[in-house]
Amino acid sequence: MRRIVKLTTSFFYLGHSPIMPGTLGSFAGLIIYFSVKDKIPIYAFSLIFLFMLGILFSAEAERIYKRKDAQMIVIDEACGMMLALFLVPYKLWVMILGFILFRTFDILKPPPAKAIEKFSGAFGVMFDDIIAAIYTNLILQIITRIFTKC
């Protein structure tokens, strides 16, 4: 079971990278986005499935790694990246901007993400990235609507 928890929460061991594991986890979410972007039901299912896996396994991963929100846990970044791009137009500049915004919000943790991050277990692991993803998605929705009207 430990192997399954590590494999899942590290997103196929991307989280074990010595260089920018969170960014690699976000990039994995971007790859999934790219794979399912035109298939909204599959996209939504993938997003919900990732989120549920994160909720189910993150607390156990913290116990295994003996650290709160250990850097090896990157399923939250993959899930967050997918949510950040959910239902935004598929354009390269939108993907790049979304990636940059999501990583920025994930690192800076604007309110209430900073407070949520302090919670223990799966809630603290997953929901700070969900907040970063919501901020990113809202900004992308506004920007893409402005630029498609011009």
Side-chain angles (χ1 to χ4, degrees):
M1 187 63 176
R2 285 174 56 97
R3 181 177 284 153
I4 291 169
V5 169
K6 283 180 157 184
L7 178 74
T8 303
T9 59
S10 69
F11 215 77
F12 303 97
Y13 299 107
L14 287 175
H16 290 265
S17 169
I19 302 165
M20 302 183 300
T23 300
L24 289 175
S26 298
F27 188 70
L30 196 60
I31 290 170
I32 297 170
Y33 163 78
F34 185 75
S35 303
V36 297
K37 67 187 177 319
D38 297 328
K39 303 165 195 93
I40 299 301
I42 295 171
Y43 190 121
F45 174 80
S46 300
L47 178 57
I48 292 167
F49 184 71
L50 269 183
F51 179 75
M52 295 307 296
L53 286 175
I55 292 294
L56 288 172
F57 292 136
S58 292
E60 182 60 27
E62 285 185 321
R63 284 189 281 283
I64 290 169
Y65 293 122
K66 297 180 173 83
R67 275 183 265 176
K68 183 185 167 350
D69 201 359
Q71 73 176 20
M72 290 76 80
I73 303 170
V74 296
I75 194 168
D76 52 334
E77 276 86 6
C79 182
M81 190 70 243
M82 287 188 65
L83 180 59
L85 296 172
F86 189 63
L87 297 177
V88 296
Y90 173 68
K91 297 184 184 308
L92 181 61
W93 71 269
V94 175
M95 283 176 39
I96 293 169
L97 180 59
F99 187 83
I100 292 167
L101 285 172
F102 175 70
R103 289 305 300 145
T104 301
F105 288 137
D106 187 30
I107 292 165
L108 296 179
K109 308 257 186 262
K114 188 73 156 173
I116 289 172
E117 179 187 41
K118 293 177 183 167
F119 284 92
S120 62
F123 185 81
V125 172
M126 294 299 293
F127 279 92
D128 66 313
D129 291 85
I130 297 302
I131 298 296
I134 290 169
Y135 284 151
T136 301
N137 189 279
L138 288 172
I139 290 169
L140 292 175
Q141 294 291 348
I142 291 166
I143 289 173
T144 56
R145 280 172 172 70
I146 288 170
F147 283 103
T148 55
K149 297 216 184 218
C150 294

